[in-house]
Amino acid sequence: MKIIKISLYKVPPRWLFLKIDTDEGISGWGEPVVEGRAETVKAAVNELTDYLIGRNPNDIEDIWQTLYRGGFYRGGPILMSAISGIEQALWDIKGKYFNIPVYQMLGGKARQKIKVYSWVGGDRPVDVVAAALGKQKEGFLAVKMNASEEMNYIDSFSKVEAVVERVASIREAVGKDFGIGVDFHGRIHKTMAKVIVKELEPYRPMFIEEPVLPENNEALREIAWHTTCPIATGERMYTRWGFKQLLQDGYVDIIQPDLSHTGGILEGKKIAAMAEAYDVAIAPHCPLGPMTLASSLHLDATTPNFIIQEQSLGIHYNEGMDILDYMKNPELFDYENGYVNIPDKPGLGVEIDEEKVKQAAETGHNWKNPIWRNEDGSIAEW
């Protein structure tokens, strides 16, 4: 079996889909994208195509090593996202070739179903209590929300109180056992993060996510001194080497690699195994489309230290098109009582409506995240 063709489709709301065709008629799908940099990743995939045509797609490890180490410069969001989407598609092909789901090739099930959470509140968190109650009524056992809007290095305590009030209101409404993830989104700098995590502690968040930007992970040590809330990070970190120092330092409780950014499914499996050795849980990041979610679920199924899975159905980014809209089998992601079943069809298990993808690609997208500014006009983190 040989790879004969690579096709790319930039589709709304902000995704890039990849299809790999083989000479035996077996095709695989993946998602190589950086949100807001889809064209750049598309160019990176096209540059890597010369390494793929004519290769046996079953040689996933060697292809990954070639793509990663074949160039003098390596790592980073663009290259690793290009490699991630390619690698997902290769697993999809391999599973279809052997007629088994991907998780069976990763060691088999470590659990029978997968816990998921849902987003509430949008970019600028509003109506979070009603939204959280709605998700609870739908059967979800946990939600995640953005903590705040813009916040400067040193900012008013009113902004701190607004964060605490939102979380406190949700906790009062949903009860003590419902999970509340609070995503700082890297918007909050170390000084303010120390204040906020201390104030949030009485409301027992499920986790505090990205309390600082990943380039400032050394600050997690000081932040951890101010709270017993679980600290999560990792969506903007790439490969096992990117997670090495974080795990060695020992101040994180949950890592969140994104399988469309960090290097793909097998790289995610290796990162998860490293985390297990440090008694750290894994909760893969996934505000993206169906192949990224399916890839995550196969990893989750086989990973002992997995704890909960993000998924993007109804997320505020998905304007116009949502995760199920490109699928012929949307029942794959049926959520029941806060859980989803492990995909059991060959490969990733996603049946893509290729005609719909091609039509959507004619429209495409030019999604960019907003540029936020502080009151004085300086750039703020989004």
Side-chain angles (χ1 to χ4, degrees):
M1 183 164 58
K2 294 181 179 180
I3 296 171
I4 60 171
K5 185 180 179 182
I6 310 291
S7 302
L8 291 158
Y9 304 98
K10 194 169 69 165
V11 298
R14 56 178 190 160
W15 303 333
L16 181 67
F17 289 177
L18 172 148
K19 183 188 179 189
I20 297 180
D21 291 314
T22 70
D23 61 353
E24 295 198 10
I26 301 174
S27 301
W29 290 82
E31 285 183 60
V33 67
V34 172
E35 301 91 302
R37 298 291 183 267
E39 280 292 339
T40 314
V41 180
K42 184 178 180 180
V45 173
N46 284 328
E47 285 188 327
L48 295 173
T49 297
D50 288 344
Y51 297 101
L52 298 170
I53 300 299
R55 290 296 307 268
N56 185 335
N58 286 327
D59 296 337
I60 297 174
E61 182 68 73
D62 188 72
I63 291 173
W64 194 97
Q65 294 290 333
T66 300
L67 299 180
Y68 181 74
R69 298 168 64 186
F72 184 74
Y73 297 97
R74 55 189 67 172
I78 302 302
L79 177 61
M80 295 318 304
S81 296
I83 292 174
S84 296
I86 293 167
E87 195 257 13
Q88 292 168 6
L90 295 177
W91 280 107
D92 197 25
I93 291 170
K94 194 179 184 85
K96 292 171 182 175
Y97 181 79
F98 288 107
N99 198 35
I100 55 175
V102 168
Y103 75 82
Q104 292 287 18
M105 297 181 284
L106 299 175
K109 293 180 182 178
R111 56 186 40 80
Q112 299 304 311
K113 56 183 180 178
I114 296 168
K115 191 175 182 180
V116 295
Y117 66 82
S118 189
W119 264 91
V120 296
D123 251 357
R124 298 180 180 276
V126 293
D127 299 328
V128 288
V129 175
L133 282 170
K135 294 300 180 182
Q136 189 178 47
K137 290 178 182 177
E138 289 176 27
F140 286 97
L141 303 174
V143 296
K144 186 169 78 174
M145 55 175 277
N146 278 315
S148 73
E149 302 178 85
E150 301 93 336
M151 191 169 290
N152 217 326
Y153 284 84
I154 304 292
D155 217 319
S156 69
F157 199 77
S158 293
K159 290 188 178 181
V160 176
E161 289 176 328
V163 174
V164 175
E165 182 181 348
R166 280 191 287 269
V167 177
S169 297
I170 294 177
R171 175 58 68 214
E172 182 179 0
V174 298
K176 65 179 181 179
D177 294 324
F178 192 81
I180 306 171
V182 183
D183 189 356
F184 283 34
H185 219 247
R187 297 172 179 172
I188 301 174
H189 300 276
K190 177 181 70 172
T191 304
M192 299 305 296
K194 289 188 295 183
V195 175
I196 294 172
V197 297
K198 186 175 182 180
E199 295 291 327
L200 284 178
E201 191 166 25
Y203 306 103
R204 296 290 184 254
M206 178 172 59
F207 54 74
I208 300 293
E209 179 174 336
E210 267 197 339
V212 291
L213 293 166
E215 52 262 45
N216 298 325
N217 274 342
E218 70 281 351
L220 295 177
R221 176 181 182 180
E222 196 169 345
I223 292 168
W225 288 345
H226 290 78
T227 186
T228 59
C229 298
I231 295 174
T233 193
E235 70 189 66
R236 288 185 270 189
M237 298 172 64
Y238 319 106
T239 77
R240 72 204 90 148
W241 296 282
F243 281 86
K244 182 166 64 172
Q245 190 63 50
L246 177 71
L247 293 169
Q248 287 177 352
D249 289 345
Y251 299 108
V252 68
D253 303 287
I254 303 167
I255 58 167
Q256 300 167 304
D258 187 310
L259 300 192
S260 273
H261 302 324
T262 201
I265 297 171
L266 187 56
E267 190 66 11
K269 180 73 171 173
K270 294 174 181 179
I271 292 166
M274 290 171 59
E276 185 183 7
Y278 286 93
D279 201 24
V280 170
I282 180 171
H285 180 254
C286 186
L288 292 168
M291 281 76 77
T292 309
L293 179 55
S295 296
S296 301
L297 296 181
H298 285 283
L299 173 67
D300 302 340
T302 70
T303 301
N305 51 324
F306 163 78
I307 187 68
I308 197 167
Q309 177 62 54
E310 181 175 29
Q311 54 82 35
S312 74
L313 187 62
I315 200 171
H316 48 286
Y317 303 121
N318 294 356
E319 295 182 2
M321 297 294 284
D322 213 324
I323 188 169
L324 306 180
D325 293 335
Y326 295 107
M327 299 174 62
K328 292 182 177 179
N329 61 331
E331 68 279 0
L332 182 71
F333 300 135
D334 282 348
Y335 305 129
E336 185 176 354
N337 298 323
Y339 289 85
V340 64
N341 289 325
I342 299 166
D344 59 1
K345 292 188 175 182
L348 294 177
V350 178
E351 297 176 14
I352 289 294
D353 187 336
E354 189 168 356
E355 287 306 311
K356 195 166 187 178
V357 168
K358 289 179 178 178
Q359 290 173 9
E362 293 179 3
T363 302
H365 68 84
N366 189 32
W367 188 89
K368 297 286 189 293
N369 62 256
I371 301 298
W372 285 4
R373 294 183 180 273
N374 295 308
E375 291 181 8
D376 63 1
S378 60
I379 289 287
E381 297 294 339
W382 169 72

